[in-house]
Amino acid sequence: TNKDDVAIDADIEVWDARGLAAPKKTEGGAFELEIGSGAAIVVARAEGYLASGAQVHVDAGERDFVTLALKKAPKKRNVTLEKDQISKANKVPFEAKRARLQNTAVFLLDEVVDVLLQNPKLRVRIEVYSEPATVETESQKLADDRAAAVADYLVEHGVWPSRLETKGIPLAAAEADKGRRTEFVIIP
């Protein structure tokens, strides 16, 4: 469906530990397929929309239902794939001195999800630089927790966890002018 809950036709892929299952096309926005038991990622793509996905866990002999709401692709992209990184026009916003993403982070991170889902072999290290704290271990923990929060968002929206690494990097007081930031570095 789109954000207005209108059914749209989309291309569907299912990824599990064995790799990509046979792609399907929805009819009237609905699809049905069989997958093995365990964890899987369901990904939907449609022309003019950002790709989106969800992680599901299906037990043997059970059924599960997934609803994916696709968002219109922005006219001007804020995220692009480059040779060595996924670049973005804006910073990933976090709450001050916390690892919690601000609500507006979804606009940027949904575009990062789209780039990753459109390039399923791409692996990324999420590097988060945090502001200096009075105790260096606090700054390290904040950076690590923020990197984990970004990774969690990407996984919740269809990126397979093994494609992601996280690295928190605390800034020293002398580097504070570089500012807190999040980088998505392509890894082999």
Side-chain angles (χ1 to χ4, degrees):
T1 64
N2 64 13
K3 70 178 180 95
D4 298 322
D5 207 25
V6 175
I8 57 174
D9 286 330
D11 295 317
I12 302 296
E13 292 178 352
V14 176
W15 294 79
D16 61 18
R18 298 176 306 248
L20 175 64
K24 299 252 184 195
K25 182 100 174 142
T26 64
E27 292 182 27
F31 66 97
E32 187 172 324
L33 51 86
E34 280 192 37
I35 59 173
S37 62
I41 299 282
V42 179
V43 175
R45 292 186 185 89
E47 187 69 34
Y49 292 86
L50 296 173
S52 185
Q55 188 171 19
V56 296
H57 185 86
V58 180
D59 293 323
E62 297 291 319
R63 295 184 110 183
D64 198 1
F65 297 92
V66 177
T67 299
L68 297 173
L70 299 182
K71 297 176 183 173
K72 284 243 186 221
K75 290 180 175 133
K76 182 178 183 235
R77 293 287 183 132
N78 293 302
V79 173
T80 56
L81 178 59
E82 295 180 0
K83 180 181 173 186
D84 59 348
Q85 69 177 344
I86 297 173
S87 68
K88 59 212 174 338
N90 304 308
K91 291 182 179 183
V92 176
F94 292 94
E95 290 184 6
K97 299 186 182 192
R98 296 182 66 194
R100 186 175 168 168
L101 293 164
Q102 289 182 6
N103 292 340
T104 57
V106 300
F107 300 110
L108 188 66
L109 292 179
D110 284 347
E111 287 193 56
V112 173
V113 167
D114 181 65
V115 167
L116 290 168
L117 295 180
Q118 299 291 354
N119 299 277
K121 295 190 185 303
L122 203 60
R123 296 189 65 238
V124 172
R125 181 176 51 251
I126 302 161
E127 296 180 354
V128 176
Y129 296 78
S130 68
E131 62 270 10
T134 52
V135 180
E136 187 177 329
T137 55
E138 289 176 12
S139 187
Q140 181 67 59
K141 180 172 177 11
L142 180 60
D144 289 340
D145 290 350
R146 284 179 171 175
V150 171
D152 289 346
Y153 185 91
L154 300 179
V155 169
E156 288 170 14
H157 291 84
V159 178
W160 197 257
S162 64
R163 297 176 57 199
L164 304 173
E165 292 180 6
T166 60
K167 182 177 182 181
I169 304 167
L171 292 172
E175 301 173 302
D177 61 321
K178 292 182 181 176
R180 63 180 184 206
R181 64 191 183 280
T182 303
E183 296 178 355
F184 298 91
V185 179
I186 307 299
I187 53 177

